[in-house]
Amino acid sequence: MPSLSAHLTVPAMSEGVGSVRPSPPDRSGDVAARVLGGFEIVAGGRVVSRTDWQRISAERLVKLLLVTRDHRLTREVAAETLWPDAEPQASRANLRKALHFATHALDGTAVIVADDGSIALASDRLDLDLDRLRRALDVLASPVPLGSDRPDSARPGGARDGIASAPDALAAATDAVIELGAEELLPDDLYEDWLVGPRERLRARWLQIALEAARREATEGRRARAHEIVGRVLERDPTDEAAHRLAIELYAADGRHHAARRQYAMCRQALRSGLDVDPSPETEEAFAR
């Protein structure tokens, strides 16, 4: 996997005749993080190792902030989430220790911001794969119609988010969804109860929007692209009947009837072995067509 520190770059600015080149902002205190398909943090150009955390509670606190939208929680919510069975006084003490060691592990950065009421990660100092995926999902959930005069900066995923305007925004967002969306959220933390909700919500939203993107790609004549998205969905969830049904329809549209029959057989086997059910009437109808 490419180093996360590669994300922490500042675009060069062009110089005109007689212009004074402004000093680039100091990015030495930035943090790049990966939570999809694994966990890795690069803080100020330094990979944070497991021993750097010193306490597992420090790593858990940072992970909680990373997966939380806007990366901000009140101290009370953070303490109750990480130590739900502890007495309030004990959970608050645990949180103070976790915050101390987390700050030490990310020493040299300004990413952790804490006051008496809340703890946060400074979004302007953070490059996170989950944030890029969420922005891409937002773009695909509310695509800007072609020819819209809506300003780029006001569009979801517009220039403000580092994604070009429509139609390029849809292509860029689809790329991000294909690349990032198929990965599980913090897969090594399967027994963290507080991760169940965020993981399932992200998974469900990705599956829904990814299939919508695949249908849009197929409608606009990019069936190979649609096949690629459907394939990623089925890799993630072999029992997703809507994805199987769309794959059958795509193969039929291409005249690949043998592949459509094979896809139907795979669908039936996956549903019976995984859910102990048969294909729905909608899937049977799609196969019959």
Side-chain angles (χ1 to χ4, degrees):
M1 186 195 75
S3 172
L4 287 175
S5 59
H7 294 298
L8 303 180
T9 58
V10 180
M13 299 180 62
S14 59
E15 293 184 77
V17 177
S19 65
V20 177
R21 185 182 180 90
S23 299
D26 180 15
R27 313 305 297 184
S28 61
D30 281 5
V31 168
R34 177 173 69 107
V35 294
L36 298 172
F39 178 62
E40 184 180 5
I41 286 187
V42 175
R46 170 182 57 87
V47 177
V48 179
S49 67
R50 177 59 61 90
T51 57
D52 289 330
W53 297 106
Q54 298 187 59
R55 299 288 189 279
I56 190 65
S57 60
E59 182 180 326
R60 293 177 72 227
L61 173 60
V62 171
K63 287 178 177 178
L64 174 61
L65 291 170
L66 287 171
V67 304
T68 300
R69 272 196 180 270
D70 299 326
H71 312 302
R72 176 178 295 275
L73 288 170
T74 65
R75 287 177 177 260
E76 181 180 5
V77 169
E80 291 180 353
T81 300
L82 294 175
W83 298 280
D85 299 325
E87 294 293 329
Q89 185 175 357
S91 64
R92 288 194 294 269
N94 290 338
L95 181 62
R96 286 194 298 271
K97 294 177 183 177
L99 178 59
H100 168 77
F101 286 108
T103 303
H104 188 272
L106 302 179
D107 184 39
T109 74
V111 73
I112 296 182
V113 181
D115 55 35
D116 292 339
S118 65
I119 303 173
L121 299 177
S123 297
D124 61 335
R125 311 297 299 188
L126 177 67
D127 179 22
L128 177 66
D129 56 355
L130 178 58
D131 287 342
R132 295 196 298 275
L133 175 59
R134 283 171 169 163
R135 287 194 295 267
L137 291 173
D138 288 343
V139 171
L140 296 186
S142 302
V144 178
L146 296 180
S148 169
D149 58 359
R150 186 176 170 190
D152 287 349
S153 60
R155 297 173 180 171
R160 177 182 53 192
D161 291 328
I163 299 178
S165 59
D168 292 341
L170 294 181
T174 302
D175 285 340
V177 165
I178 293 174
E179 176 188 355
L180 299 172
E183 300 290 350
E184 190 73 77
L185 177 63
L186 292 173
D188 297 328
D189 296 271
L190 297 178
Y191 300 105
E192 289 281 18
D193 290 340
W194 55 267
L195 260 175
V196 173
R199 183 181 287 127
E200 288 303 312
R201 286 192 295 271
L202 179 66
R203 178 177 177 273
R205 187 166 189 248
W206 176 76
L207 289 172
Q208 175 190 354
I209 293 178
L211 282 182
E212 290 172 357
R215 294 187 185 98
R216 182 167 54 247
E217 294 292 318
T219 299
E220 296 178 1
R222 295 183 291 272
R223 287 200 290 269
R225 179 87 151 171
H227 275 295
E228 182 180 6
I229 299 174
V230 171
R232 290 296 183 96
V233 171
L234 290 175
E235 286 176 5
R236 185 78 178 272
D237 183 5
T239 66
D240 192 308
E241 188 174 0
H244 282 289
R245 187 162 57 246
L246 180 56
I248 291 170
E249 294 169 350
L250 289 171
Y251 283 131
D254 290 337
R256 300 170 61 185
H257 302 298
H258 176 70
R261 287 192 291 270
R262 185 175 60 217
Q263 188 71 48
Y264 173 77
M266 291 169 58
C267 173
R268 183 172 56 186
Q269 180 180 0
L271 291 175
R272 285 181 176 176
S273 61
L275 303 176
D276 196 24
V277 297
D278 288 320
S280 66
E282 291 83 0
T283 301
E284 296 286 1
E285 181 180 352
F287 178 63
R289 286 199 303 269

